[in-house]
Amino acid sequence: MKIAVFNTRKYDRQFLDRANAKRDHELIYLEPRLDATTATLATGATAACIFVNDSADAHTLKLLASEGVQYLLLRCTGFNQVDLKVAEEVGIRVARVTNYSPYSVAEHAVGLVLMLNRKLHRAFNRVRDDNFALDGLMGFDLHGRTVGVIGTGKIGMIFAQIMHGFGCQLLGYDAYPNSAFEAIGAARYVELFELLENSDIISLHCPLLPSTEHIINTNAIDQMKPGVMLINTSRGKLVDTKAVIEGIKSGKIGYFR
């Protein structure tokens, strides 16, 4: 099969070539992102392979179909960038990565919490300049703090388990509650407003859907504790960027990544 691989970097080629070593697919690596202006680069390919920043909207999918593309392969779990209805209409079958290391994302989220809390990024730069002053580098104990987890799927569950190890209280919010979450200990499900009002740290681990787009907006931020830490390792559009900027300026949001 000839596959047009959009939005590729060196690491994409490394891993895809390794996976293709015992197969006979023809991988055509393309640096541009997929959108309506680049779809014709897939001419002659049976499949197009894309990532999170590519756009497979209605217009792009129709162009791909006209070029003979029959499959759209996603190198990610999220599929919000694909118009699934149009894909079905034009006969393009869509496949995605159903699961990749949830530990890596959860551990990264915890790393961000530690970095922001202990000001590690600022301290690193100061030390490089032989400045060992502690002013502005004070953090807080995670032990005993309340952590709100929005989305308790595989990644959210692992994040919650790690934070429980720090001695944190856990509040969860999910449209589909997971009994394993409350089995962690010091964890319970609450309504979103209660999570926002009581959490010292809020971490987002939910997919981007119409119901979750801008789940963190002005109204949500107004309900949060002053100086709250907000972590988003999911989709960017879960957060209303303008509202977050205003929250940071006002001091309502003390930390954000």
Side-chain angles (χ1 to χ4, degrees):
M1 182 184 293
K2 183 177 180 179
I3 304 173
V5 187
F6 285 86
N7 198 7
T8 58
R9 299 294 181 268
K10 183 178 180 180
Y11 53 82
D12 291 304
R13 301 182 183 202
Q14 174 187 347
F15 290 108
L16 288 174
D17 283 342
R18 184 186 303 172
N20 194 42
K22 295 182 180 180
R23 296 171 175 82
D24 195 28
H25 298 303
E26 180 184 357
L27 304 181
I28 309 300
Y29 292 115
L30 305 167
E31 291 188 6
R33 295 171 54 248
L34 173 67
D35 58 26
T37 65
T38 60
T40 54
L41 294 175
T43 300
T46 305
C49 182
I50 65 173
F51 197 45
V52 294
N53 295 320
D54 295 286
S55 174
D57 57 16
H59 187 198
T60 302
L61 287 168
K62 290 176 182 177
L63 288 171
L64 288 176
S66 70
E67 298 295 337
V69 172
Q70 301 173 37
Y71 302 95
L72 187 65
L73 315 174
L74 279 62
R75 308 194 300 278
C76 52
T77 57
F79 51 88
N80 54 277
Q81 69 274 44
V82 182
D83 190 324
L84 295 176
K85 182 179 180 181
V86 172
E88 184 178 10
E89 290 174 356
V90 299
I92 293 180
R93 301 185 67 180
V94 181
R96 67 185 178 101
V97 178
T98 56
N99 182 34
Y100 51 73
S101 176
Y103 295 96
S104 62
V105 182
E107 290 169 6
H108 180 68
V110 174
L112 294 177
V113 170
L114 294 172
M115 179 189 71
L116 291 174
N117 179 28
R118 297 300 176 183
K119 316 293 193 301
L120 300 180
H121 53 307
R122 294 182 184 176
F124 175 79
N125 288 325
R126 283 192 189 182
V127 171
R128 290 182 63 187
D129 295 330
D130 296 324
N131 179 355
F132 299 94
L134 297 178
D135 297 335
L137 299 181
M138 295 295 291
F140 57 85
D141 289 350
L142 292 177
H143 183 86
R145 297 285 177 165
T146 299
V147 177
V149 185
I150 300 179
T152 54
K154 293 178 182 178
I155 296 172
M157 275 292 300
I158 294 168
F159 175 82
Q161 289 167 343
I162 297 172
M163 298 309 294
H164 174 60
F166 280 103
C168 297
Q169 304 294 314
L170 299 169
L171 300 178
Y173 174 76
D174 200 307
Y176 303 95
N178 182 352
S179 60
F181 175 76
E182 293 187 309
I184 293 174
R188 61 190 177 92
Y189 280 108
V190 295
E191 295 298 325
L192 182 58
F193 77 88
E194 187 175 346
L195 183 151
L196 297 172
E197 289 177 352
N198 293 285
S199 297
D200 301 295
I201 300 168
I202 298 172
S203 191
L204 304 177
H205 299 285
C206 49
L208 178 60
L209 303 168
S211 59
T212 60
E213 184 172 349
H214 289 178
I215 192 171
I216 302 300
N217 51 34
T218 299
N219 181 55
I221 293 169
D222 287 343
Q223 298 176 65
M224 296 177 184
K225 285 185 176 182
V228 67
M229 181 185 293
L230 179 62
I231 303 292
N232 182 18
T233 51
S234 297
R235 291 290 187 262
K237 282 190 176 182
L238 294 176
V239 170
D240 182 337
T241 303
K242 291 183 179 179
V244 168
I245 291 172
E246 291 303 315
I248 293 171
K249 288 179 178 179
S250 70
K252 191 70 161 181
I253 298 175
Y255 315 80
F256 175 67
R257 277 296 184 273

